[in-house]
Amino acid sequence: MALKTEKIWLDGVLVHWEDAKVHVLSHALHYGTAYFEGIRCYELADGRSAVFRLEEHMRRLADSGKILGFPLPYSVEQLCQATKEVIRANKLKACYIRPLAFLGLGELGVYAPQNPVNVCIAVWPWGAYLGDDGIKNGIRAKVSSYTRHHVNVTMTKSKTSANYVNSVLAKAEVKKAGYDEAIMLDTEGYVSEASGENIFIVRGGKIKTTPLTSILPGITRESIITLARDKGYDVTEERFTRDELYIADEAFLTGTAAELTPVREVDDRQIGAGKRGPITEDMQTIFFDVIKGKAAEKYAKWLAYV
Ligand code: PPE
């Protein structure tokens, strides 16, 4: 099993992978009352390992808990240390990191304010989320028939487990139809994000991405905006329509798991030249240099050495 490693950090201690278990009456299993992160640790050009934007991810985890009203029982600092500890314990040079906080065993019924908040951090090796070919040549996306969350239905700035049922439905729908990834529209019909990534378009040399409304505030998204502006690109955060996506010169998705993946087709319409575009490729080069510790000194603060 790809997820099998030696140890998982659970409620303050490193336990054997086999022993990281919960009871079937845990609140989160019934109502999706959990929140999580997805983080990556990379092996750098010099052989060391570093976690990309660890503190920002743990801060977002804390924000998720605050939004939901069942906050983390650990500090951001404690969880950053725990992450490094679990990577070292599993002797991994590069891995995906999955912190999860969940309402545990106590009462059932939707109001269970006394239940404990349990926290685990697991790590495992995870390759290209949308495939190595996808990273290089781009993926085929389809707009899902499922709408993305309304900002007052679930809280979109919280990475809540229950929110992901929407992604599960959308992704399964398009995968069964033969596409690689689902793009979802917001409740007003504008492009929102993909099932597990934020979305960018390029037209006339200018870059555009969805503003922070119905979307998860992606840390990769924010990194790409910063890197693109530093490189001199014009980047706007502005809503755009499905047909604006169709006529883009380039489109790409960003996320921790997907990294920076070009989109070569949407709803059977070729995007630009139907392959990775030049600005997408430029941003990939810059991004991959940064995560490998090969970029300018000013981005070194984004790397937390293990
Ligand atoms: N939108 C959604 C809905 C999302 O799930 C992610 C991350 C992003 C945007 C990008 O956020 P960031 O990783 O901070 O740049 N999706 C995570 C989970 C994917 C999964 O299938 O599980 C991830 O990429 O780790």
Side-chain angles (χ1 to χ4, degrees), residues 36 38 57 60 96 98 126 129 148 159 164 193-198 216 218-221 254-257:
F36 67 100
H57 277 282
R60 189 173 65 186
Y96 185 79
R98 173 54 57 84
W126 201 359
Y129 185 68
R148 199 52 170 158
K159 201 167 163 63
Y164 279 79
E193 63 180 342
S195 75
E197 304 88 14
N198 294 118
L216 182 77
I219 290 165
T220 320
R221 171 190 178 280
T254 64
T256 299

Coordinates of all heavy atoms in Angstrom, one line a residue, residues 36 38 57 60 96 98 126 129 148 159 164 193-198 216 218-221 254-257, ligand 1:
F36 N -8.0 19.6 7.4 CA -6.7 19.0 7.1 C -5.9 20.0 6.2 O -6.3 21.1 5.9 CB -6.9 17.7 6.4 CG -7.5 17.7 5.0 CD1 -6.7 17.7 3.8 CD2 -8.9 17.9 4.8 CE1 -7.3 17.7 2.6 CE2 -9.5 17.9 3.5 CZ -8.6 17.8 2.4
G38 N -2.5 19.7 3.1 CA -1.7 18.9 2.2 C -0.4 19.7 2.0 O -0.5 20.9 1.6
H57 N 1.1 26.7 5.9 CA 0.1 25.6 5.9 C -0.4 25.3 7.3 O -1.6 25.1 7.4 CB 0.8 24.3 5.3 CG 0.8 24.2 3.9 ND1 -0.3 23.9 3.1 CD2 1.8 24.4 3.0 CE1 0.1 23.9 1.8 NE2 1.3 24.2 1.7
R60 N -2.8 27.9 8.1 CA -4.1 27.7 7.5 C -4.9 26.6 8.2 O -6.1 26.7 8.4 CB -4.0 27.4 6.0 CG -5.3 27.4 5.3 CD -5.1 27.2 3.8 NE -4.6 25.9 3.4 CZ -4.2 25.5 2.2 NH1 -4.4 26.4 1.2 NH2 -3.7 24.3 2.0
Y96 N 4.7 13.6 0.8 CA 3.5 14.4 0.9 C 3.2 14.4 2.4 O 3.4 13.3 3.1 CB 2.4 13.8 0.1 CG 1.1 14.6 0.1 CD1 0.9 15.7 -0.7 CD2 0.0 14.2 0.9 CE1 -0.2 16.5 -0.7 CE2 -1.2 14.9 0.9 CZ -1.3 16.1 0.1 OH -2.5 16.8 0.1
R98 N 0.3 15.0 5.4 CA -1.2 15.2 5.7 C -1.5 15.3 7.1 O -1.7 14.4 7.9 CB -1.9 14.0 5.1 CG -3.4 13.9 5.4 CD -4.2 15.1 5.0 NE -4.1 15.5 3.6 CZ -4.8 15.0 2.6 NH1 -5.7 14.0 2.8 NH2 -4.7 15.5 1.4
W126 N 4.5 10.6 -2.6 CA 3.3 10.8 -3.5 C 3.9 11.6 -4.7 O 4.4 12.7 -4.6 CB 2.2 11.6 -2.9 CG 0.9 11.4 -3.5 CD1 0.6 10.7 -4.6 CD2 -0.4 12.0 -3.1 NE1 -0.8 10.7 -4.9 CE2 -1.4 11.5 -4.0 CE3 -0.8 12.9 -2.1 CZ2 -2.7 11.9 -3.9 CZ3 -2.1 13.2 -2.0 CH2 -3.1 12.7 -2.9
Y129 N 0.4 14.3 -9.0 CA -1.1 14.1 -8.7 C -1.9 13.9 -10.0 O -2.7 13.1 -10.0 CB -1.5 15.3 -7.9 CG -3.0 15.3 -7.4 CD1 -3.3 14.4 -6.4 CD2 -3.9 16.2 -7.8 CE1 -4.6 14.5 -5.8 CE2 -5.2 16.3 -7.3 CZ -5.5 15.4 -6.3 OH -6.8 15.4 -5.8
R148 N -19.6 24.7 -7.3 CA -18.7 24.9 -6.1 C -19.5 25.5 -5.0 O -20.5 26.1 -5.2 CB -17.5 25.8 -6.5 CG -16.3 25.6 -5.6 CD -15.9 24.2 -5.4 NE -14.7 24.0 -4.7 CZ -14.4 22.9 -4.1 NH1 -15.2 21.9 -4.1 NH2 -13.2 22.7 -3.5
K159 N -10.3 24.4 5.2 CA -10.1 23.2 4.5 C -10.8 22.0 5.2 O -10.1 21.1 5.8 CB -8.6 22.9 4.3 CG -8.2 22.0 3.1 CD -6.7 22.1 2.9 CE -6.2 21.0 2.0 NZ -6.7 20.9 0.7
Y164 N -15.1 18.4 0.9 CA -14.5 17.6 -0.2 C -15.5 16.6 -0.8 O -15.1 16.1 -1.8 CB -13.2 17.0 0.3 CG -12.1 18.0 0.2 CD1 -12.0 19.0 1.2 CD2 -11.3 18.1 -0.9 CE1 -11.0 20.0 1.1 CE2 -10.3 19.1 -1.0 CZ -10.2 20.0 0.0 OH -9.3 21.0 -0.1
E193 N -12.8 26.9 -9.1 CA -11.5 26.2 -9.0 C -11.7 24.8 -9.4 O -12.8 24.4 -9.8 CB -11.0 26.3 -7.5 CG -11.9 25.6 -6.5 CD -11.4 25.7 -5.1 OE1 -10.2 25.9 -4.8 OE2 -12.3 25.5 -4.2
A194 N -10.7 24.0 -9.4 CA -10.8 22.6 -9.8 C -11.0 21.8 -8.5 O -11.0 22.3 -7.4 CB -9.5 22.1 -10.5
S195 N -11.2 20.5 -8.6 CA -11.6 19.7 -7.5 C -10.6 19.7 -6.4 O -10.9 19.6 -5.2 CB -11.9 18.2 -7.9 OG -10.7 17.5 -8.2
G196 N -9.3 19.9 -6.7 CA -8.2 20.0 -5.7 C -7.1 21.0 -6.1 O -6.0 20.8 -5.6
E197 N -7.5 22.0 -6.9 CA -6.5 22.9 -7.3 C -7.2 24.3 -7.6 O -8.3 24.3 -7.9 CB -5.8 22.5 -8.7 CG -5.1 21.2 -8.7 CD -6.1 20.1 -9.1 OE1 -7.2 20.4 -9.6 OE2 -5.8 18.9 -8.9
N198 N -6.4 25.3 -7.5 CA -6.8 26.7 -8.0 C -6.5 26.8 -9.5 O -5.7 26.0 -10.0 CB -6.1 27.8 -7.2 CG -6.5 27.8 -5.8 OD1 -5.7 27.6 -4.9 ND2 -7.8 28.0 -5.5
L216 N -10.6 27.8 -2.1 CA -9.7 27.6 -1.0 C -8.5 28.6 -1.3 O -8.0 28.6 -2.4 CB -9.1 26.1 -1.0 CG -8.2 25.9 0.1 CD1 -8.9 25.7 1.5 CD2 -7.3 24.6 -0.1
G218 N -5.4 29.0 -1.8 CA -4.2 28.1 -2.1 C -2.9 28.7 -1.8 O -2.6 29.9 -2.1
I219 N -2.0 28.0 -1.1 CA -0.7 28.5 -0.8 C 0.2 28.4 -2.1 O 1.0 29.3 -2.3 CB -0.1 27.7 0.4 CG1 -0.9 28.1 1.6 CG2 1.4 28.0 0.6 CD1 -0.8 27.3 2.8
T220 N -0.1 27.5 -2.9 CA 0.6 27.4 -4.2 C 0.2 28.6 -5.1 O 1.0 29.3 -5.7 CB 0.4 26.1 -5.0 OG1 0.4 25.0 -4.0 CG2 1.4 25.9 -6.1
R221 N -1.1 28.9 -5.1 CA -1.7 30.0 -5.8 C -1.0 31.3 -5.4 O -0.5 32.1 -6.2 CB -3.2 30.1 -5.5 CG -3.9 31.4 -6.0 CD -5.3 31.4 -5.4 NE -6.1 32.6 -5.8 CZ -5.9 33.8 -5.2 NH1 -5.1 33.9 -4.2 NH2 -6.6 34.8 -5.6
T254 N -3.0 25.0 -10.0 CA -1.9 25.0 -8.9 C -2.5 24.4 -7.7 O -3.6 24.5 -7.3 CB -1.5 26.4 -8.6 OG1 -2.6 27.2 -8.0 CG2 -0.9 27.2 -9.7
G255 N -1.6 23.6 -7.0 CA -2.0 23.0 -5.7 C -0.7 22.2 -5.2 O 0.2 21.9 -6.0
T256 N -0.8 21.9 -3.9 CA 0.4 21.2 -3.4 C 0.6 19.9 -4.0 O 1.7 19.5 -4.4 CB 0.1 21.0 -1.8 OG1 0.1 22.3 -1.3 CG2 1.2 20.2 -1.2
A257 N -0.5 19.1 -4.2 CA -0.4 17.8 -4.8 C -0.1 17.9 -6.3 O 0.8 17.3 -6.8 CB -1.7 17.0 -4.5
Ligands
PPE1 N1 -8.4 24.2 -4.1 C1 -8.8 23.0 -3.5 C2 -10.2 22.6 -3.5 C3 -7.8 22.2 -3.0 O1 -8.1 21.0 -2.4 C4 -6.4 22.5 -3.0 C5 -5.4 21.7 -2.4 C6 -6.1 23.8 -3.6 C7 -7.1 24.6 -4.1 C8 -4.7 24.3 -3.6 O2 -4.2 24.7 -2.3 P1 -2.7 24.6 -2.0 O3 -2.3 23.2 -1.9 O4 -2.6 25.4 -0.7 O5 -2.0 25.3 -3.1 N2 -5.7 20.3 -2.5 C9 -4.9 19.4 -1.6 C10 -5.6 18.0 -1.5 C11 -5.7 17.2 -2.7 C12 -6.3 15.8 -2.4 O6 -6.8 15.1 -3.3 O7 -6.2 15.4 -1.3 C13 -3.5 19.3 -2.0 O8 -3.1 19.7 -3.1 O9 -2.7 18.8 -1.2

